[in-house]
Amino acid sequence: MFDSGVGGLTVLHECLVSLPEEDFVYLGDTALFPYGDKDTAWLRERIGAISALLLEGGAKLLVIACNTATSIGDDVAREVAAEHGVEVVPVVEPQAEIAAAITDNGRIGVLATPNTVESGAYRRALEAQGRALEVTEVEAPDLAPFIQQGSPFDESTMEMARSYCAPLKRAKVDTLILGCTHYPLVAPMLQRILGRDIRLVSGGHAVAAAVQRSLERRGLAREADGEGDYRFLCTGEVDSFRDLGTRFLQMPLGEIEQVALHT
Ligand code: DGL
């Protein structure tokens, strides 16, 4: 599983809960975080290098926990994975499927990074669901870095969340896709601003279900016989990965190794 940093640990956590018997290796590209506003050609190269590293390490399935990486480069990951005969589970499609299934009024909001919104990936995935849907996408350039910098629960984050929610309220969405790994951390805030009736669809839950389906379909699921292992690779500093990552995973991280990517 990989992500632009520690945010994908919200996705890993759901997988650890749904598939406790599996072993996970998580790579956080913390040296390059955030992906949301970086040059996409460079990011696509990066996604290829990360996918190769994880697959050469023997992964039986590749999970893209990062919404931005999925949106701009899931085809790159799939190409590398195909060479290893491995399937890829990205974060966008499973979320779109759930959102399209649960909306009552057909109005779906997507809150995401600029690269994710500009890629059109959510819009395409929602259009592919075969329902007439009205999609309102909002770019939130500052929200993920803000949450990561350590101030997810203060007044300024609330103000920022309010401004990003305003167009979603005007569009009367009844379902909001949290199109970024960091947003589950501010879900209580978004729910307060948008109201109880709005359904929030986060990536973790959707991905965990998709991972389970993929492993079962390919006969790769492990017998449910206890807890598997998890370990971490990061491209930035190990100590800051541990500090930030513990906050996102809300469990001890254990083994973390720094790796270099040549892109
Ligand atoms: N993991 C990234 C995402 O979901 C976090 C934000 C970023 O890297 O810009 O889009």
Side-chain angles (χ1 to χ4, degrees), residues 28-74:
D29 193 5
T30 39
L32 226 71
F33 175 86
Y35 275 11
D37 59 358
K38 296 247 158 54
D39 175 64
T40 54
W42 185 30
L43 289 177
R44 283 170 63 81
E45 219 179 287
R46 199 81 176 167
I47 290 164
I50 293 171
S51 303
L53 188 145
L54 291 172
L55 291 159
E56 278 153 23
K60 64 178 176 181
L61 182 75
L62 183 63
V63 182
I64 313 179
C66 180
N67 306 70
T68 306
T70 298
S71 302
I72 59 150
D74 68 333

Side-chain angles (χ1 to χ4, degrees), residues 8 25 44 62 72 102 109 114 167 193 205 230 248 254 261:
V25 180
R44 283 170 63 81
L62 183 63
I72 59 150
I102 65 173
I193 297 165
H205 182 67
Y230 56 86
F248 278 76
L261 288 173

Side-chain angles (χ1 to χ4, degrees), residues 3-5 7-8 33-37 65-69 113 116 144-145 179-182:
D3 178 50
S4 61
F33 175 86
Y35 275 11
D37 59 358
C66 180
N67 306 70
T68 306
T113 66
T116 297
C180 172
T181 49
H182 286 57

